[in-house]
Amino acid sequence: ANPDYELPVHGLLVAHVVCMCLSWGCLLPLGVIWARNMRQSKWMPGGVPAWFQGHRALQSVGVTLQFLGFIFIILFKKSAH
């Protein structure tokens, strides 16, 4: 193998990987864990249970990043042709 050879990294592919890792690897599982563990809490900032606010925020950002990651890979595949 030639040690001088470098694989080109495309920005859209990197953006896809980052978005998917953050969404599926961190935010979506954390949203489930938050809801499960905070449901017993009586803390209700603004009159809405804290477990639901945290769950909704984490899941919303996770789904948004997942959608962006999907768009990035579609754009990457289209630019490859």
Side-chain angles (χ1 to χ4, degrees):
N2 184 357
D4 295 332
Y5 180 75
E6 291 184 20
L7 215 56
V9 178
H10 197 281
L12 288 171
L13 185 59
V14 171
H16 163 76
V17 170
V18 168
C19 286
M20 289 300 187
C21 286
L22 285 174
S23 67
W24 284 104
C26 298
L27 294 170
L28 294 173
L30 188 58
V32 173
I33 292 168
W34 179 276
R36 180 181 180 274
N37 293 333
M38 291 293 290
R39 194 175 295 244
Q40 305 305 321
S41 174
K42 302 297 182 210
W43 184 34
M44 295 183 66
V48 179
W51 75 266
F52 185 72
Q53 289 184 23
H55 171 71
R56 180 175 51 193
L58 289 166
Q59 296 298 97
S60 296
V61 174
V63 167
T64 301
L65 285 176
Q66 178 190 5
F67 180 71
L68 285 172
F70 182 70
I71 297 298
F72 290 147
I73 202 65
I74 288 175
L75 293 174
F76 171 74
K77 294 301 264 180
K78 285 188 176 185
S79 71
H81 291 108

